[in-house]
Structures are given as structure tokens and as C-alpha cells.
DNA sequence: CAGTATCCAGTTTGATACTG
DNA sequence: CAGTATCAAACTGGATACTG
């Protein structure tokens, strides 16, 4: 509740917080099951399929495969295949994907405060 | 990420090599279908049930009702009933809910850049 | 290793209708 | 206005089995 502007004027370029379908799509992409954690892991650098899976307990092959493809379609993740003999595939964030860093940091930050509320109630 | 370098120095059984369940829960709460937009609207100040619904195209009564309850359970939203004659119910962010502001702003910010990628590719 | 295909149970959604 | 009930349809996730 940063401002008391009840209703933005229609000409407002919708400061980041106006009703905006991009925002909607973005937050649901990031928040889609598993995606947040996958992205979080990728933020530390490129990883192989199995490395991601190992880092995310409960995530199955099928799910990871599907999510990775969605993330690729969203241009957030890039799939890299090496020509090497033991074909090696790695996944990395694209430039726009890397820019999710502040977003994920903000969420991680908030989640700590949010968790405190629970711990206190214990 | 704020916590991915954190080791299990304590006896926190939940934190495994950077895998943080709070982060997971937080991002999925925020990213759950409709929640992002509902939260976004509430950020501008308390709103009545119908005001929220009107501000979010496609959102049905049943969905809004359910989401609002989940958000309440998560202590992010507070339901306020006035004693006034035409009983009036409003929904507002709790203190911890208000602290989502930077998070949502970061997402909104990112979503703009993300959208540019599409426009450019066309 | 790095996936894909399929089956299927469980969950989520969205109309529609109805209450205080 | 502020919801709740219900029910069918769509979607999701997980296990298992199978490629290259």
C-alpha cells in the first residue's frame, strides 16, 4: 500500500503495478510448480539434467523435462548440446533469465520474514 | 540467491545444499494461479470482494473466494468486516503481506523486459 | 546419461445455481 | 453485495517403461 491512489488514471503507463497481463504471465511462470526452484538452481550456473534433478528432491524426470521445455519456450532457459562424444547437454539461463536474479532474491528475502511468523507461532 | 551458499551449519534438516522449502513455498504461493494478480491489486490498498473481482478479468467468485482464504491462511491477507449497516467486507494486506511490495515490483519490472524479447523477435 | 511416451489417479477450474 | 455448493471437464503430477 505504497500509495493511496485508488485508481490509476487510464493514461498511466501502469507503473509496474497496474493491471498487466505480462505481470500475470511472468509471476505464474516463475511460480509454476518446480520452476522457482529450478530457476534458483540455475542461477548458480549451467547445470546438466541430472544435476538439476539431484538438487531438487521430489522432482521427476518427466516433470523436469516438461518444465525445462516450458522455460525454454519462455526464453528464460537455453539448452546447450556439445558435439563431444559423450554428448553432453547443459541448461543455462539466457540473459533475460539471468535477470531474474533480483526477483528470486526478493522472494527468498521475503520468505525468510514470512517464515518467522510461523516459527513464532510455534 | 541469499541462501544458496548457506550450509547446513545448523541442525536445520530442511535446508539441503541451498534447497530451501520456504523459498519454494513462498514462490509457489505468490505464483499460484490468480494470486499474483490479486496481491498486486491489494497492494494499492484494501478492496472489497467485488472490487477485486472486477479488477481481475476471468477470475470467478469461487476462485476468488478460495484464493482469498488461502491467502488469509498464509497470513498475507486480512479479512475485515465492518459493523456498518450494509455489512461491508474488505480485504487488506497484513504487514507481512505488504512486504511483498518489493517482490511484486521486481516481478513487474522483469516482466517488462521479458516482454520486450517477444516484441523484438517478431 | 538424457530424455520421451503412456496410463491414470488426484487436483484444479469454471459454469451455474443458490443463500444470507 | 459477499459468498457457498455442486458437478463435469481440463489439467497435473507421478510411476513405469522405453529410446538414442
Amino acid at each position: 500500500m505504497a500509495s493511496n491512489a485508488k485508481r490509476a488514471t487510464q493514461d498511466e503507463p501502469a507503473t509496474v503495478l497496474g493491471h498487466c497481463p505480462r505481470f500475470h504471465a511472468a509471476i505464474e511462470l516463475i511460480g509454476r510448480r518446480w520452476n522457482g526452484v529450478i530457476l534458483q538452481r540455475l542461477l548458480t550456473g549451467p547445470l546438466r539434467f541430472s544435476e538439476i534433478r539431484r538438487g531438487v528432491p521430489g522432482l521427476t524426470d518427466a516433470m523436469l523435462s516438461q518444465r525445462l521445455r516450458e522455460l525454454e519456450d519462455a526464453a528464460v532457459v537455453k539448452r546447450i548440446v556439445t558435439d563431444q562424444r559423450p554428448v553432453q547437454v547443459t541448461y543455462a539461463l539466457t540473459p533475460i533469465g539471468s535477470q531474474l536474479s533480483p526477483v528470486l532474491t526478493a522472494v527468498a528475502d521475503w520468505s525468510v520474514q514470512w517464515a518467522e511468523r510461523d516459527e513464532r507461532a510455534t
Side-chain angles (χ1 to χ4, degrees), chain A residues 44-67:
Chain A
T44 67
L47 293 173
R48 307 238 291 281
F49 190 89
S50 53
E51 290 176 321
I52 300 175
R53 191 186 39 200
R54 251 181 289 144
V56 185
L59 179 57
T60 63
D61 283 1
M63 270 300 96
L64 179 54
S65 180
Q66 188 183 317
R67 289 286 111 99

Side-chain angles (χ1 to χ4, degrees), chain A residues 6-117:
Chain A
K6 220 177 184 69
R7 184 166 314 205
T9 53
Q10 300 165 334
D11 295 313
E12 281 264 343
T15 51
V16 273
L17 297 179
H19 177 253
C20 172
R22 297 173 198 160
F23 170 84
H24 195 162
I27 202 160
E28 289 186 3
L29 171 74
I30 300 165
R32 195 177 201 72
R33 189 156 199 203
W34 303 115
N35 279 1
V37 206
I38 293 171
L39 254 11
Q40 189 192 34
R41 307 249 79 196
L42 249 19
L43 221 48
T44 67
L47 293 173
R48 307 238 291 281
F49 190 89
S50 53
E51 290 176 321
I52 300 175
R53 191 186 39 200
R54 251 181 289 144
V56 185
L59 179 57
T60 63
D61 283 1
M63 270 300 96
L64 179 54
S65 180
Q66 188 183 317
R67 289 286 111 99
L68 244 17
R69 190 188 292 275
E70 290 169 10
L71 257 12
E72 259 191 277
D73 290 346
V76 166
V77 161
K78 180 176 33 180
R79 184 173 187 265
I80 302 160
V81 186
T82 66
D83 289 1
Q84 279 146 23
R85 273 180 298 49
V87 179
Q88 191 172 298
V89 183
T90 61
Y91 291 89
L93 294 177
T94 60
I96 188 69
S98 297
Q99 288 187 281
L100 274 171
S101 177
V103 174
L104 298 178
T105 301
V107 174
D109 232 37
W110 180 81
S111 73
V112 172
Q113 295 178 270
W114 182 50
E116 274 164 17
R117 142 222 71 135

